[in-house]
Amino acid sequence: MTDIFGLIGVALLAGCWIPQVRHLLKTRRVEGISVGFASMILGANVFLTIHAIRIHSPIFAIVNAFSGLMAAVQLVLVLRHREKEAA
């Protein structure tokens, strides 16, 4: 029964990350997204995924790995945009 809370959390997280990343990929407009923010959220998700694996919490590991993947895509897009601006 407690896994339902984890599944709801995964669904909510996917519900906010997927449209945002899809929008960034489609428009290639990343103005206003801080490299520091994207880096910190990616780092947090990496450490939380490792923690979840160590405590044997598959739902927590999945949600953080997914969030980390979305944060990584966001960070790559922001860094590419910054490179184009600098050139």
Side-chain angles (χ1 to χ4, degrees), residues 13 15 23 29-30 35 40 42-43 45-48 62 66 78 86:
L13 192 60
H23 176 73
R29 298 184 56 88
V30 295
V35 172
M40 287 179 70
L42 175 58
N45 286 127
V46 168
F47 283 104
L48 288 170
I62 290 167
F66 172 78
V78 170

Side-chain angles (χ1 to χ4, degrees), residues 64-83:
N64 281 291
F66 172 78
S67 185
L69 175 64
M70 296 293 103
V73 170
Q74 184 179 42
L75 180 59
V76 166
L77 292 172
V78 170
L79 292 174
R80 282 186 184 168
H81 177 72
R82 296 279 166 94
E83 286 176 5

